[in-house]
Amino acid sequence: AQSVAQPEDQVNVAEGNPLTVKCTYSVSGNPYLFWYVQYPNRGLQFLLKYITGDNLVKGSYGFEAEFNKSQTSFHLKKPSALVSDSALYFCAVTRSGNTPLVFGKGTRLSVIA
Amino acid sequence: NAGVTQTPKFRVLKTGQSMTLLCAQDMNHEYMYWYRQDPGMGLRLIHYSVGEGTTAKGEVPDGYNVSRLKKQNFLLGLESAAPSQTSVYFCASSYFPGTSDRQETQYFGPGTRLLVL
């Protein structure tokens, strides 16, 4: 069975500083990994995904994530945080295209001006 | 393209009442999903469909039924609502694997907020 852990319920960072939102996963076989963002009173928006290839994946709004197979992690990063990045971030995993995604519980990012 | 739309946006029910949530997508996606989102629980899959006329149970299917009579629509039904079903419900859709480089990426609707008293 697949599972995702987001160990931090809340991450606070000052505007302009780098940010990291952590995600670890458990899946049999090769993982398909995703990050989604949710702004208040909105649905989830796709940020980026790792299927295969380069371990560093670049996505929307300047976000990137690094796939680390040995640590079973897929942390989301951004070099310089913006106040507008404040939102709820979800990591998700599946083991192939035929199985539904399993989502983490979410991490609330707060960027302070 | 409207993407994924959900109807209604908000609803209040009394315990025991029934209702149907409608999800529609105009992206010709094969796969459709219903999730519920509760504080501290993330998104949990209720039911999903891999094509017209097919449905499957997710993580938390009890108390819900679904139907996929048309490819573009996925209905979620509550036959006898309970306060434990108070939640925000999200629909999502995605391409069939192997048909697009955007496969597996799920596209979400704006959500339906349901309050059961």
Side-chain angles (χ1 to χ4, degrees), chain B:
Chain B
N1 285 353
V4 180
T5 58
Q6 293 182 231
T7 309
K9 289 184 172 53
F10 176 71
R11 185 78 183 267
V12 179
L13 288 180
K14 294 181 180 178
T15 297
Q17 287 185 319
S18 64
M19 79 163 293
T20 300
L21 283 66
L22 171 64
C23 175
Q25 52 94 6
D26 61 2
M27 295 174 281
N28 202 33
H29 286 168
E30 290 288 344
Y31 284 28
M32 296 187 74
Y33 314 82
W34 275 107
Y35 295 91
R36 60 177 289 172
Q37 182 180 24
D38 303 292
M41 302 293 289
L43 271 76
R44 293 181 292 170
L45 183 66
I46 304 171
H47 286 280
Y48 65 103
S49 168
V50 301
E52 183 178 325
T54 69
T55 63
K57 293 181 179 180
E59 180 186 355
V60 289
D62 293 342
Y64 305 95
N65 57 74
V66 288
S67 63
R68 184 99 181 267
L69 299 179
K70 294 182 179 180
K71 185 177 183 179
Q72 64 268 34
N73 294 339
F74 195 30
L75 277 62
L76 178 71
L78 286 72
E79 290 188 347
S80 180
S84 61
Q85 294 178 304
T86 293
S87 188
V88 181
Y89 291 86
F90 287 100
C91 177
S93 67
S94 65
Y95 289 102
F96 187 83
T99 60
S100 166
D101 61 1
R102 290 166 289 175
Q103 67 189 46
E104 296 97 11
T105 300
Q106 294 186 17
Y107 297 83
F108 282 79
T112 294
R113 190 172 297 273
L114 177 64
L115 175 62
V116 183
L117 301 175

